Amino acid sequence: MHTAELIDFKALVAEAKDILAGNWTGKFTKPAPNLYPHQWNWDAGFIAIGYSHYYMDRAESELRSLFSGQWDNGMVPQIIFNPEFDYNYFPSSDFWETWRSFSAPENKKTSGITMPPVHGFVLQHIYDNAKDKMRALNFVKEMFPKILKMHHYFYNHRDPFNEGLVYIRHPWESGTDNSPTWDAPMERITFDKIKIPPYKRKDLDNGHAEHRPTDYDYNRYIHLIDIYRKCDYNEEAILERCPFVIQDPLFNCILVKSNQALIELATLIDEDVEQLTKWNELSIKSMNEKLWNPKTGIYDAYDLHNDERIEMQASSGLIPVYAHIPNAEQAQQIVDRLLSKSFSGSADQNTYLCPSYNPTSPKFNPKKYWRGPVWINMNWMLHHGLKHYGFTDLAEQLKQESLELINHYGFYEYFDPIKDVVGKEKQGYGSHRFSWSAALCIDFLQDEEDD
Ligand code: GLC
């Protein structure tokens, strides 16, 4: 592994820009050249942050394109389909049958679930990085109401007990698709195999089965989609029938971070902040009262369907530092947890920060997607959160290790966190030339480039 000093920052930024240019479709940027041919919700946000440093037109296009698929009820879908490649991906747009919903747009094909709402804080990055502030202000004016409408959707349709904690109803909504956090609720899903609609996976054409979710997972993913179709995408009906209804700390942290960004942006454009402030205070309170686990120093998830806590072993439970949700004492506990064997490894199992799952757990798998590998977007959020609390060295380490992994292995989708495996040539998995790894690398390196 190269040391940090040997990284050629300029070359890395140039390659990152080349990757984004290669994945650009004319209206938005694909997450990856082949594996993901459509526009994905939170990817678009991270990608826009990268562009905001050097190509504002494209940063704006990312959000415009994504929100062109916003549903009437405010939901912003997980996928906006690219008609050119519709059938290269499963589930394709037809499979979702979103025409059953009164809210789905008629002129855009989308999936019928959402993703972590990064767009509020993305808009703030766009504004902050803009050189032409007048133009940026107009863009804030354009996007603010749309993003706010999405927050209304979450608090009105995904928070049945008015706790300020919104739920996800599909593992894909979490962004951390096959995290072991979802194993227990997924295992409880029983269904008649004969009755799930027939389907053929396409992801395995472009990715190693060993690194991808299993067929067992996929059957359950599809079963959940079938429930939404049968409920005509009516949220109240789905809530009654859906066996997967979970409050995820990552998702809620991102919502809080975006609430805060909208509150700050609102002052620029004279928008009212009362509702946003109320939501936000309630969310933070409930995160700390309901999801915080003082014994383990991490935020847990909560399974609303079974009315029980899911003890968190995934890095998602550390991310609330990003939205400044913990107090100083809790933040210290989070750092202790991050530095303990359960994330940073022990002498004989030394890991790059930050594994997406506790490396000492029997469920940990260093190669399999969200069951252990390092992901650049998670490191980026942790880096910013830790910096805020004054954990400067650790924040820097997260950034350096992210850059080292990218520099040495390439702009992969995810990386093997186990260090020092003799003879291991490859630590980057999933898709190569992955857009958010490129975009966030640009953001990480911005300071260095300016020097
Ligand atoms: C996978 C990831 C998800 C990402 C998508 C597109 O489904 O789990 O977080 O948004 O790929 O990159």
Side-chain angles (χ1 to χ4, degrees):
M1 169 63 75
H2 295 188
T3 61
E5 295 77 58
L6 293 179
I7 298 180
D8 179 345
F9 292 137
K10 283 217 155 55
L12 213 54
V13 168
E15 196 185 343
K17 290 182 179 173
D18 187 57
I19 287 170
L20 293 181
N23 289 338
W24 172 251
T25 62
K27 292 220 164 75
F28 67 88
T29 308
K30 295 180 281 184
N34 302 312
L35 183 59
Y36 306 114
H38 307 294
Q39 189 177 34
W40 258 260
N41 179 318
W42 73 335
D43 298 62
F46 293 123
I47 291 166
I49 290 175
Y51 279 136
S52 69
H53 291 289
Y54 68 102
Y55 207 156
M56 214 32 116
D57 276 353
R58 290 203 177 164
E60 293 179 355
S61 296
E62 288 299 321
L63 291 192
R64 276 199 190 106
S65 162
L66 181 71
F67 278 77
S68 72
Q70 182 168 29
W71 288 24
D72 281 349
N73 63 4
M75 186 179 86
V76 177
Q78 162 231 19
I79 293 178
I80 313 296
F81 286 97
N82 181 351
E84 240 183 278
F85 297 106
D86 206 351
Y87 298 100
N88 289 5
Y89 187 81
F90 177 80
S92 62
S93 62
D94 289 3
F95 194 86
W96 288 92
E97 299 183 1
T98 53
W99 48 266
R100 291 173 181 276
S101 156
F102 288 121
S103 289
E106 275 169 25
N107 57 348
K108 286 276 164 187
K109 305 229 169 172
T110 77
S111 68
I113 56 174
T114 188
M115 276 199 124
V118 296
H119 320 91
F121 70 75
V122 169
L123 188 61
Q124 194 172 30
H125 278 269
I126 291 179
Y127 182 78
D128 289 348
N129 292 336
K131 297 201 175 65
D132 179 349
K133 291 292 184 211
M134 274 309 285
R135 172 187 171 156
L137 198 63
N138 283 332
F139 189 61
V140 170
K141 282 186 191 147
E142 177 188 333
M143 292 310 301
F144 185 96
K146 299 180 181 182
I147 300 176
L148 184 64
K149 185 172 173 186
M150 177 182 70
H151 287 222
H152 272 283
Y153 162 77
F154 283 126
Y155 286 103
N156 291 337
H157 295 289
R158 298 292 191 101
D159 181 18
F161 305 112
N162 295 320
E163 298 172 285
L165 294 177
V166 308
Y167 66 76
I168 54 169
R169 53 170 165 77
H170 196 290
W172 290 341
E173 291 198 323
S174 69
T176 61
D177 308 11
N178 69 340
S179 167
T181 315
W182 320 129
D183 283 2
M186 289 293 269
E187 273 156 23
R188 270 200 308 269
I189 297 181
T190 50
F191 56 89
D192 183 345
K193 216 167 171 191
I194 315 280
K195 290 202 181 134
I196 35 173
Y199 71 92
K200 186 174 174 318
R201 292 177 66 171
K202 297 264 178 168
D203 58 317
L204 299 178
D205 300 347
N206 290 303
H208 280 283
E210 194 198 347
H211 305 161
R212 300 279 314 163
T214 59
D215 287 345
Y216 177 94
D217 295 327
Y218 257 80
N219 283 337
R220 279 157 184 77
Y221 296 152
I222 296 315
H223 170 69
L224 291 174
I225 297 175
D226 201 34
I227 293 176
Y228 315 145
R229 306 196 307 193
K230 290 190 173 125
C231 294
D232 295 338
Y233 287 92
N234 175 301
E235 294 291 355
E236 284 65 37
I238 292 174
L239 180 59
E240 263 178 43
R241 291 184 57 179
C242 187
F244 186 97
V245 183
I246 294 177
Q247 292 164 325
D248 172 32
L250 172 66
F251 198 101
N252 280 282
C253 151
I254 286 177
L255 182 62
V256 166
K257 185 74 180 174
S258 282
N259 281 336
Q260 288 162 349
L262 290 182
I263 290 169
E264 285 170 32
L265 290 171
T267 58
L268 298 173
I269 54 170
D270 266 343
E271 287 281 346
D272 186 47
V273 296
E274 199 186 321
Q275 178 67 78
L276 276 164
T277 310
K278 270 197 199 146
W279 283 335
N280 205 42
E281 284 170 358
L282 184 61
S283 296
I284 293 175
K285 183 166 169 275
S286 296
M287 286 284 291
N288 284 322
E289 284 178 0
K290 186 173 179 183
L291 302 188
W292 172 246
N293 189 333
K295 291 197 204 94
T296 53
I298 200 163
Y299 286 86
D300 289 333
Y302 199 89
D303 180 341
L304 286 181
H305 184 263
N306 256 39
D307 201 12
E308 68 187 20
R309 181 180 279 271
I310 305 175
E311 290 231 351
M312 191 54 95
Q313 308 274 342
S315 63
S316 296
L318 308 171
I319 306 282
V321 287
Y322 178 52
H324 314 165
I325 293 169
N327 62 26
E329 198 185 315
Q330 291 168 305
Q332 181 62 58
Q333 277 185 268
I334 288 179
V335 166
D336 294 344
R337 177 75 198 256
L338 176 59
L339 292 176
S340 76
K341 277 190 192 176
S342 70
F343 284 99
S344 76
S346 55
D348 58 341
Q349 188 177 279
N350 212 2
T351 60
Y352 288 106
L353 290 179
C354 175
S356 47
Y357 204 72
N358 173 357
T360 63
S361 158
K363 296 205 168 222
F364 172 76
N365 180 334
K367 296 188 175 60
K368 214 169 183 69
Y369 222 36
W370 292 97
R371 303 181 77 86
V374 172
W375 288 75
I376 300 301
N377 63 335
M378 303 293 265
N379 277 9
W380 182 87
M381 287 185 277
L382 264 179
H383 162 82
H384 285 288
L386 293 172
K387 210 160 138 184
H388 167 81
Y389 287 91
F391 297 105
T392 321
D393 291 349
L394 191 54
E396 207 44 37
Q397 187 185 341
L398 274 149
K399 174 173 162 179
Q400 280 312 323
E401 294 192 358
S402 304
L403 295 175
E404 283 177 25
L405 283 166
I406 291 174
N407 187 56
H408 195 67
Y409 298 107
F411 286 85
Y412 275 92
E413 189 178 0
Y414 42 98
F415 298 88
D416 196 319
I418 309 286
K419 271 186 188 169
D420 198 21
V421 177
V422 183
K424 199 189 234 178
E425 302 140 28
K426 197 165 183 262
Q427 296 218 195
Y429 304 127
S431 183
H432 192 20
R433 298 180 75 77
F434 190 65
S435 293
W436 86 40
S437 299
L440 295 177
C441 174
I442 292 171
D443 190 69
F444 266 149
L445 286 175
Q446 193 50 38
D447 301 341
E448 275 83 358
E449 225 198 7
D450 287 346
D451 290 342

